[in-house]
Amino acid sequence: MQIIIHESPEKLAQSAAQWVQALLIKKTKPVLGLATGSTPIKLYKVLVEKHQRGELSFADVKTFNLDEYFDIDAKNPQSYRSFMKQHLFDHVDINPSNTFLPTCKKGQDPREQGLAYEKEIKEAGGIDLQILGIGGNGHIGFNEPSSSLRSRTRIKTLTQQTLKDNSRLFTPGEYQPTLAMTMGIATILDAKYVMLMATGKQKATAVKQMITGGVSANCPASVLQMHENAVIFLDKEAASELDDHEYYEWANEQNNKLNESLGFFHNF
Ligand code: F6R
């Protein structure tokens, strides 16, 4: 894992956007894995600005979102499709038919829907770069603690903590879904590159467990320790429970020098 600690969420977003930009420029038909939630909003804003300045095109990009609420209408403002339209899709030149979310309606078989999503990812050539946030309980996507580390896209029940954390996004009395379709942990691990972003003190314990704890279904994000190309973008608050700041900084300096000599993102 590469750990990069940034001064602020704004600097983090700028730096994360450079990774996305590198992929979009280097790859002919890039496939991007997307996340919703508060954390990536700043990143999407920077990407939109880059697009508006003519620095970035999404014309050949395919996207696959991590998750979507079960049985939610795409037009519902709470759907993750609406979130993506609001923060990214409606502001860039992406073809809407190239944007995928793992949907499942009442009456449809979630197992079949999960398999179909996996097939779509495979047919697109796999995900080049998966963007992730982390839950306060260490979840990635909606793979809550105790999720199988070999799980694939399926339906999951959200934990009470996740429901409580996300209740801030719903008005009092508004229906809050308790089920979601989510990429599995194995689906996420299949991505060529994985980029997890975490900001704020409320993520510090989960971040510490992810980086320095044992690999465990109790903290699904800890599985990134097993990924070949995982980069963790933190702000100072999210990194506040880590001990090895100096080492991470030094390792990044060496990495940057190496990347300069080899060419940035030579693997994309
Ligand atoms: C979102 C997702 C979740 C969030 C996580 C953090 O698609 O899959 O895992 O990344 O819950 O959410 P925020 O960024 O709102 O703290």
Side-chain angles (χ1 to χ4, degrees):
M1 274 199 260
Q2 188 182 352
I3 322 279
I4 309 180
I5 302 169
H6 293 278
E7 280 299 315
S8 65
E10 287 70 25
K11 291 218 167 110
L12 184 157
Q14 290 288 347
S15 149
Q18 280 181 355
W19 279 64
V20 178
Q21 185 168 15
L23 169 72
L24 268 52
I25 289 172
K26 290 237 162 156
K27 254 237 116 188
T28 330
K29 289 190 172 176
V31 181
L32 198 52
L34 299 173
T36 58
S38 314
T39 316
I41 291 178
K42 287 191 170 64
L43 163 65
Y44 296 147
K45 189 165 175 279
V46 177
L47 292 176
V48 168
E49 286 164 0
K50 281 180 184 285
H51 169 71
Q52 285 166 346
R53 288 198 299 269
E55 295 166 16
L56 208 53
S57 168
F58 289 76
D60 295 322
V61 179
K62 269 194 182 171
T63 63
F64 288 89
N65 265 78
L66 282 168
D67 36 28
E68 176 59 287
Y69 287 123
F70 173 69
D71 195 38
I72 197 162
D73 192 274
K75 291 208 167 71
N76 184 320
Q78 293 290 0
S79 77
Y80 286 169
R81 162 79 60 191
S82 296
F83 175 99
M84 290 312 308
K85 279 166 69 64
Q86 183 191 345
H87 294 287
L88 186 67
F89 298 161
D90 284 355
H91 312 289
V92 295
D93 57 345
I94 198 159
N95 180 344
S97 68
N98 283 338
T99 63
F100 299 84
L101 286 94
T103 55
C104 189
K105 295 263 168 224
K106 220 182 254 172
Q108 288 180 324
D109 183 341
R111 286 165 303 183
E112 275 173 21
Q113 294 299 108
L115 282 173
Y117 198 60
E118 294 280 334
K119 194 164 168 257
E120 275 166 335
I121 295 174
K122 210 169 173 193
E123 281 170 2
I127 292 171
D128 292 305
L129 174 64
Q130 176 65 55
I131 295 167
L132 295 172
I134 182 171
N137 61 4
H139 73 212
I140 45 175
F142 275 136
N143 296 287
E144 299 284 31
S146 85
S147 287
S148 158
L149 301 185
R150 297 187 70 167
S151 50
R152 294 267 161 200
T153 306
R154 70 214 182 290
I155 194 163
K156 282 293 286 179
T157 305
L158 308 186
T159 61
Q160 275 98 341
Q161 186 187 336
T162 299
L163 291 169
K164 192 163 155 259
D165 290 348
N166 289 355
S167 63
R168 70 187 193 282
L169 307 166
F170 294 80
T171 53
E174 188 180 10
Y175 170 67
Q176 184 180 1
T178 56
L179 297 172
M181 288 293 287
T182 179
M183 277 186 201
I185 295 179
T187 323
I188 292 170
L189 285 178
D190 279 350
K192 206 185 270 177
Y193 276 80
V194 170
M195 180 173 118
L196 184 143
M197 299 181 292
T199 57
K201 192 117 197 88
Q202 71 283 9
K203 299 292 172 68
T205 305
V207 163
K208 184 182 168 85
Q209 222 187 329
M210 162 178 70
I211 296 172
T212 63
V215 174
S216 159
N218 198 35
C219 176
S222 64
V223 78
L224 298 186
Q225 292 176 31
M226 309 273 292
H227 195 282
E228 254 188 305
N229 297 303
V231 58
I232 314 293
F233 289 90
L234 305 172
D235 73 348
K236 291 217 142 150
E237 290 190 343
S240 59
E241 289 188 25
L242 296 174
D243 297 321
D244 282 337
H245 289 218
E246 238 175 73
Y247 169 66
Y248 300 138
E249 213 171 289
W250 186 78
N252 278 321
E253 277 169 24
Q254 307 310 309
N255 255 332
N256 290 343
K257 278 188 199 154
L258 196 63
N259 276 336
E260 269 168 37
S261 65
L262 292 173
F264 198 38
F265 294 122
H266 50 282
N267 280 344
F268 273 150

